[in-house]
Amino acid sequence: MPDPKKILIIDDETDLCLLLRDYFVRKNYDVAVTHTLKEGKILLKTVTPDILFLDNNLPDGTGWDIASSIASDFPGIYIVLISAFHPAVPVMPANSKFRIIEKPISMADLDKQFREF
C-alpha cells in the first residue's frame, strides 16, 4: 500500500482546521495543522506536504504573500489558497499547482476538487 499523501493546514480558525483535518484523515491522508505562518514555515520543511491549505489572514502575517515563494521552494506542492475575503490573487510561478477556495468551505466542494488526489 502506498504511503498516504500529506497535508499541511495553516489557518487560524480552529473549527475549520478540525473540520478539514477530520475530513482528510477519514480519506487516509496524514494531516498536520498549525495556526501561524512562523510554525507553518517550519512544518513545510519537516512535513513536506503534498497539499498545503494556506489561509490569507493569519495572526502573524498574510499567507498569500508567501504563496509564490512556497511554490518556488516546494515545486511539487499543491497549494490551496483560502480566504473569507476576496484579496488579489498572488502572482504564482508558471509551473505551480494551486487553486483558490473561498470560505465558507463546503465538503461537497472538497469532494469534487480532491477526487484526483
Side-chain angles (χ1 to χ4, degrees):
M1 183 172 191
D3 289 336
K5 297 255 185 198
K6 296 181 213 168
I7 292 178
L8 174 58
I9 302 166
I10 305 173
D11 195 304
D12 60 332
E13 291 184 37
T14 306
D15 290 343
L16 176 62
C17 290
L18 290 171
L19 183 72
L20 288 173
R21 185 193 70 207
D22 291 349
Y23 172 85
F24 282 108
V25 164
R26 281 193 310 271
K27 296 196 175 285
N28 297 315
Y29 289 83
D30 282 340
V31 181
V33 175
T34 185
H35 306 294
T36 66
L37 281 177
K38 181 179 180 182
E39 188 174 323
K41 289 176 186 179
I42 293 167
L43 287 176
L44 272 167
K45 294 174 186 170
T46 58
V47 172
T48 59
D50 300 291
I51 303 168
L52 169 65
F53 282 84
L54 181 60
D55 189 24
N56 189 36
N57 294 313
L58 294 157
D60 59 341
T62 307
W64 290 25
D65 286 348
I66 65 165
S68 179
S69 64
I70 291 171
S72 294
D73 294 344
F74 301 89
I77 197 169
Y78 187 90
I79 301 173
V80 181
L81 301 167
I82 54 179
S83 181
F85 306 102
H86 303 280
V89 177
V91 176
M92 300 291 281
N95 61 345
S96 63
K97 299 177 287 185
F98 75 98
R99 83 174 33 140
I100 296 168
I101 296 180
E102 293 181 11
K103 294 178 183 178
I105 296 173
S106 80
M107 296 299 105
D109 189 38
L110 286 177
D111 281 338
K112 184 174 71 174
Q113 293 192 33
F114 289 93
R115 245 180 234 139
E116 72 260 22
F117 290 97

